[in-house]
Amino acid sequence: MIDYIKKEPLLKRLLTTLVISLFSMCFIFLAIQYYFLEQIHRNQIQLNQNVVGKLVSVYPDKEVEIVKTVINKDDEKFVKTGNETLIKYGYNMDTRAFQDDIFRDSFYKFAKLNIAAFLIMIMLNVILFLKGSKCFEQTLEAFSSNIDKLMDGDYSVNICDEEEGILSRISTQFEQMSRRLKISFESLEKEKENIKSLITDISHQLKTPLASIKMFNSLLLEDGVENLERMEFLNRSKEDIKKLEWLTSSLVKLSRLEAGMINLKKEKVDIKETIFRAVNDVYLKAEEKDIDIRLEESKSIFTFYDCKWTKEAIVNVIENAIKYTKKGGKIKITINKMETCTTIDIKDNGIGIEEEEINNIFKRFYRGKSKVVQASEGSGVGLYLTRKILEEQGGCITVQSQKDIGTTFSLFLQNCYES
């Protein structure tokens, strides 16, 4: 509690005011007591003066003895005599205070002044309490107002509290929470739009092969179809089914990756081994086109990445190079380890990419506009999936290309564990 009071300026002000108020009350109370004691003392002096004056007027020759008796300490002999005399007139130690006119008047004055001082102090404390409560009320009202704004979708929260303290820290945390909520809701809206776009793209991608399979099946059901035509239709259906199977598999991977359902496990592994496995996966396709895939000599390079998904990314890039490289072409793979990252350059001497299309090739379902690209199989998922896989690991992919000369894709992986 003490720590909170030390840290919060408002609490410190309230505590300081309370302490000053208490000291003020004590001072006023003591001042009142002193004032009335002083009045009692003056009344006693007047009483003594009255007694001495009367006795001296009767016994002028006894003046010195009378004054000494009244002023000096009590003398047991005179006290006894005085007590016996006053008892005769009903005035002794048993006489109540209120039967004494002097005391009664002094008490009434004392009570009135104390009650007035007490009421004044109560009013001052009530004013101080209301003032402190107003400060808290304004802060709480600001929080309440901003909470209502958040509930209405307005994230422009502003709780001004320039003094450092608990309330200031709560205000800062509240504003940070508001900004995070705004980012989260914007992310959700963006994700919602992405899902809508993904569903639209998937339906478009699946529509063509399904329509083709449907058409071939309809033709096969017709009478009079020759065996040669039947085999051709079946082969075409088979190719479309393979395309549909590959497309579905790619879309499932893409959807799981975008939805965060795939947890990439980074391990320190030799990148050369992963590249060898990726080349083995596409070796038959390269052999069909007599394309030479060469990995430049380099020592083993260990870095942190997810083996399975990084191999998938490399396969996509090499497959892309094989697809758009003519027969007898070459693909060269180079590995370079730099201070912060490791790069994998995959260079081909294929058809190249138009300059205006370079910024689009990593978009989902994008396919080039050239006749060669449109005539070849593909759905525009591979390079987008590669980009997502690398970005999830803190890396990236870039491309350099010249039309009819070739293309170089550069894959970047971080050397540190953190993504």
Side-chain angles (χ1 to χ4, degrees):
M1 184 64 186
I2 295 175
D3 291 337
Y4 277 106
I5 294 174
K6 288 180 180 178
K7 294 177 182 177
E8 182 50 50
L10 181 58
L11 292 178
K12 285 194 288 187
R13 288 200 300 270
L14 290 175
L15 181 61
T16 302
T17 305
L18 178 62
V19 171
I20 293 173
S21 175
L22 291 174
F23 275 108
S24 300
M25 289 178 68
C26 291
F27 176 78
I28 293 172
F29 181 75
L30 290 173
I32 292 172
Q33 306 309 307
Y34 178 79
Y35 171 77
F36 278 101
L37 289 173
E38 183 68 22
Q39 290 299 314
I40 292 170
H41 176 63
R42 289 178 181 276
N43 291 335
Q44 182 64 42
I45 291 174
Q46 289 179 355
L47 181 61
N48 290 339
Q49 289 172 344
N50 186 33
V51 171
V52 170
K54 288 182 178 181
L55 290 175
V56 169
S57 63
V58 176
Y59 306 102
D61 56 327
K62 302 289 185 179
E63 179 180 338
V64 176
E65 293 181 13
I66 292 170
V67 172
K68 287 183 178 180
T69 301
V70 172
I71 295 176
N72 292 340
K73 293 182 179 180
D74 297 338
D75 190 326
E76 291 293 334
K77 180 178 69 173
F78 292 115
V79 170
K80 184 177 180 182
T81 303
N83 183 41
E84 291 174 351
T85 304
L86 290 173
I87 287 174
K88 297 176 182 178
Y89 298 93
Y91 192 85
N92 55 26
M93 296 299 290
D94 295 328
T95 303
R96 292 186 178 182
F98 270 90
Q99 293 175 339
D100 188 329
D101 294 337
I102 297 174
F103 177 83
R104 185 170 58 251
D105 293 340
S106 297
F107 176 79
Y108 285 142
K109 291 179 181 178
F110 175 80
K112 289 177 183 178
L113 194 57
N114 271 283
I115 291 171
F118 183 70
L119 291 174
I120 291 171
M121 292 309 300
I122 287 177
M123 289 178 63
L124 288 175
N125 280 279
V126 168
I127 292 170
L128 293 172
F129 174 77
L130 291 175
K131 187 176 179 180
S133 298
K134 187 176 180 180
C135 293
F136 275 110
E137 183 183 355
Q138 289 175 345
T139 304
L140 293 176
E141 187 64 33
F143 277 108
S144 177
S145 175
N146 282 284
I147 289 171
D148 288 337
K149 289 171 66 177
L150 286 176
M151 293 173 65
D152 293 335
D154 183 1
Y155 301 98
S156 57
V157 173
N158 184 19
I159 304 175
C160 296
D161 194 349
E162 297 178 356
E163 293 182 308
E164 293 184 1
I166 301 298
L167 291 176
S168 176
R169 190 171 68 187
I170 293 173
S171 300
T172 302
Q173 291 172 341
F174 190 84
E175 291 176 7
Q176 290 176 347
M177 181 190 72
S178 172
R179 287 193 291 270
R180 290 180 182 178
L181 283 174
K182 182 181 180 181
I183 293 170
S184 297
F185 278 109
E186 287 177 350
S187 178
L188 287 174
E189 287 296 323
K190 186 177 179 181
E191 186 63 27
K192 184 179 178 181
E193 292 299 321
N194 287 338
I195 292 173
K196 287 171 64 177
S197 175
L198 178 62
I199 292 172
T200 302
D201 291 337
I202 289 174
S203 62
H204 177 73
Q205 292 293 327
L206 296 178
K207 187 176 180 181
T208 302
L210 286 174
S212 179
I213 293 171
K214 183 179 179 181
M215 182 188 69
F216 289 137
N217 284 345
S218 297
L219 292 173
L220 289 170
L221 291 173
E222 292 180 359
D223 296 331
V225 179
E226 296 181 1
N227 288 335
L228 186 61
E229 290 179 333
R230 189 181 299 276
M231 289 301 299
E232 183 180 354
F233 292 153
L234 287 172
N235 286 330
R236 288 188 180 183
S237 293
K238 182 180 178 181
E239 292 299 321
D240 283 332
I241 290 171
K242 285 183 178 179
K243 180 180 179 182
L244 190 60
E245 183 182 16
W246 178 86
L247 181 60
T248 304
S249 175
S250 298
L251 291 175
V252 168
K253 294 175 184 176
L254 179 61
S255 300
R256 291 176 63 194
L257 193 63
E258 287 192 335
M261 295 172 63
I262 295 175
N263 184 24
L264 299 179
K265 298 179 181 179
K266 297 175 71 172
E267 299 174 337
K268 192 172 184 180
V269 187
D270 185 2
I271 192 65
K272 282 181 65 177
E273 293 296 324
T274 303
I275 294 174
F276 280 137
R277 289 198 295 270
V279 171
N280 286 335
D281 285 355
V282 298
Y283 179 75
L284 292 178
K285 292 182 180 180
E287 193 176 44
E288 288 176 1
K289 295 181 69 174
D290 194 26
I291 293 175
D292 179 30
I293 301 177
R294 180 174 300 176
L295 176 61
E296 292 292 306
E297 286 294 329
S298 67
K299 60 182 180 179
S300 295
I301 297 176
F302 288 85
T303 189
F304 291 94
Y305 62 94
D306 184 287
C307 295
K308 176 184 174 182
W309 287 98
T310 303
K311 189 194 83 168
E312 178 87 17
I314 297 171
V315 166
N316 289 338
V317 176
I318 298 176
E319 277 188 340
N320 201 70
I322 294 170
K323 190 185 298 181
Y324 301 117
T325 299
K326 297 178 181 179
K327 287 187 177 182
K330 294 182 180 180
I331 297 174
K332 184 172 72 173
I333 303 174
T334 308
I335 310 172
N336 292 307
K337 184 168 185 178
M338 296 181 287
E339 185 174 350
T340 59
C341 63
T342 298
T343 62
I344 305 167
D345 294 326
I346 301 174
K347 183 178 181 180
D348 65 56
N349 59 351
I351 63 173
I353 304 169
E354 295 285 353
E355 186 175 351
E356 61 270 15
E357 292 184 324
I358 285 180
N359 292 329
N360 298 321
I361 61 173
F362 296 112
K363 293 180 180 179
R364 186 175 57 203
F365 300 118
Y366 180 82
R367 299 203 69 203
K369 299 177 181 178
S370 69
K371 293 181 179 179
V372 177
V373 174
Q374 293 295 323
S376 62
E377 293 182 355
S379 60
V381 175
L383 290 179
Y384 174 76
L385 188 60
T386 296
R387 177 173 71 85
K388 291 292 292 183
I389 291 170
L390 294 174
E391 287 178 351
E392 286 293 321
Q393 299 180 89
C396 64
I397 181 171
T398 61
V399 62
Q400 293 179 334
S401 183
Q402 288 182 289
K403 186 66 176 173
D404 299 324
I405 294 178
T407 303
T408 301
F409 285 94
S410 298
L411 285 68
F412 292 82
L413 292 170
Q414 287 189 356
N415 291 333
C416 57
Y417 180 79
E418 291 80 3
S419 59

